[in-house]
Amino acid sequence: SFPLEKRVSFVRGILKLFFTIVPQYKKIAFRNMRQVFPDSSKEFRETLLEKAYLAWARMIVDFSRMHLLGQEW
C-alpha cells in the first residue's frame, strides 16, 4: 500500500489533469469564485483552486478507505 500522502498527491494530479482536459469546469470554478470574491486577484483564485484540488483529493482518498474502519472507530 502506498503512503497516505503519495495517494493524496496521485489523486490531486488526476484532478488537475481532469480540469486541464475538460476546461469548462475550471472556467466554472473561476466564474463562481469571481462571484463570491469579486475583489480577489487572479492569483488568489488560482491558489484557492489549488487548495480545493488538495481538499478534494484528501476527501476521495479518505472515502476510498472507509471500508477499512472498524466499528469501534
Side-chain angles (χ1 to χ4, degrees):
S1 177
F2 290 107
L4 179 61
E5 283 307 310
K6 294 277 185 190
R7 287 181 273 167
V8 169
S9 180
F10 178 74
V11 173
R12 182 176 165 261
I14 291 173
L15 288 167
K16 288 182 77 168
L17 178 64
F18 174 77
F19 271 71
T20 301
I21 293 172
V22 189
Q24 67 259 29
Y25 290 112
K26 192 171 186 175
K27 289 178 186 175
I28 291 168
F30 277 108
R31 184 184 69 218
N32 289 343
M33 286 187 281
R34 278 193 306 274
Q35 290 175 349
V36 175
F37 305 109
D39 298 328
S40 66
S41 66
K42 183 177 180 183
E43 292 77 26
F44 172 84
R45 294 188 298 271
E46 288 172 350
T47 300
L48 191 58
L49 187 58
E50 285 294 323
K51 289 180 180 182
Y53 292 145
L54 183 59
W56 294 333
R58 286 182 178 145
M59 181 185 63
I60 290 167
V61 169
D62 284 345
F63 274 116
S64 73
R65 56 193 190 123
M66 280 182 67
H67 69 282
L68 301 173
L69 297 176
Q71 285 289 93
E72 65 280 355
W73 194 84

